[in-house]
Amino acid sequence: MNLEYKYDKDINKENLVKLFSSVGWKTAEYPNRLYNAIKNSDLVISVWNNDENDELVGLISTISDGYINVFITYLLVSPDFQKQKIGTQLMNKVLEHYKGFGRRIISTELDKEKYYNKFGFKIDGIVMFNKDWNDDNIK
């Protein structure tokens, strides 16, 4: 398997939707929002399977204030490529990139707590949401 890690936010909508759909994330239902979210992220690291015509198989992205806070917005790996340490490699690259930041924050499902504990993440407080998934009219 020929995997390539890229530090590039220029990923087309179709590739993003395919990856996000593969893990069943609602975000895939909003391709314009998703595309713009990735384009406007602080850091995006993607993983491509060059054996399959440059198939996007993994991605991590962040938003940051540049000094104290970094929020890991997405970490996902296509089901066909899970259990191969791709997610671990992506997370380690992000943690190294933001070494020394006061807060490295991730929002996830409760059943993923154990996975993120191995990177030093602990529950500290709560995360509150005000969701608005009404449309995808963003260009």
Side-chain angles (χ1 to χ4, degrees), residues 18-31:
K18 182 177 177 187
L19 176 61
F20 279 71
S21 293
S22 77
V23 295
W25 284 11
K26 181 176 183 67
T27 318
E29 297 172 22
Y30 302 90

Side-chain angles (χ1 to χ4, degrees), residues 53-64:
N53 299 320
D54 292 330
E55 174 189 12
L56 178 63
V57 299
L59 181 136
I60 192 167
S61 64
T62 67
I63 54 176
S64 166

Side-chain angles (χ1 to χ4, degrees), residues 39-96:
K39 287 289 273 186
N40 289 290
S41 294
D42 184 47
L43 175 69
V44 176
I45 307 170
S46 56
V47 184
W48 300 81
N49 178 10
N50 290 331
D51 291 339
E52 294 294 327
N53 299 320
D54 292 330
E55 174 189 12
L56 178 63
V57 299
L59 181 136
I60 192 167
S61 64
T62 67
I63 54 176
S64 166
D65 62 17
Y67 297 94
I68 297 171
N69 300 292
V70 61
F71 184 78
I72 300 164
T73 52
Y74 298 114
L75 171 59
L76 62 159
V77 176
S78 170
D80 293 340
F81 291 83
Q82 291 176 2
K83 308 290 185 206
Q84 298 178 37
K85 304 286 184 192
I86 294 169
T88 297
Q89 290 175 18
L90 287 168
M91 181 61 80
N92 286 336
K93 288 175 186 296
V94 161
L95 294 177
E96 181 61 30

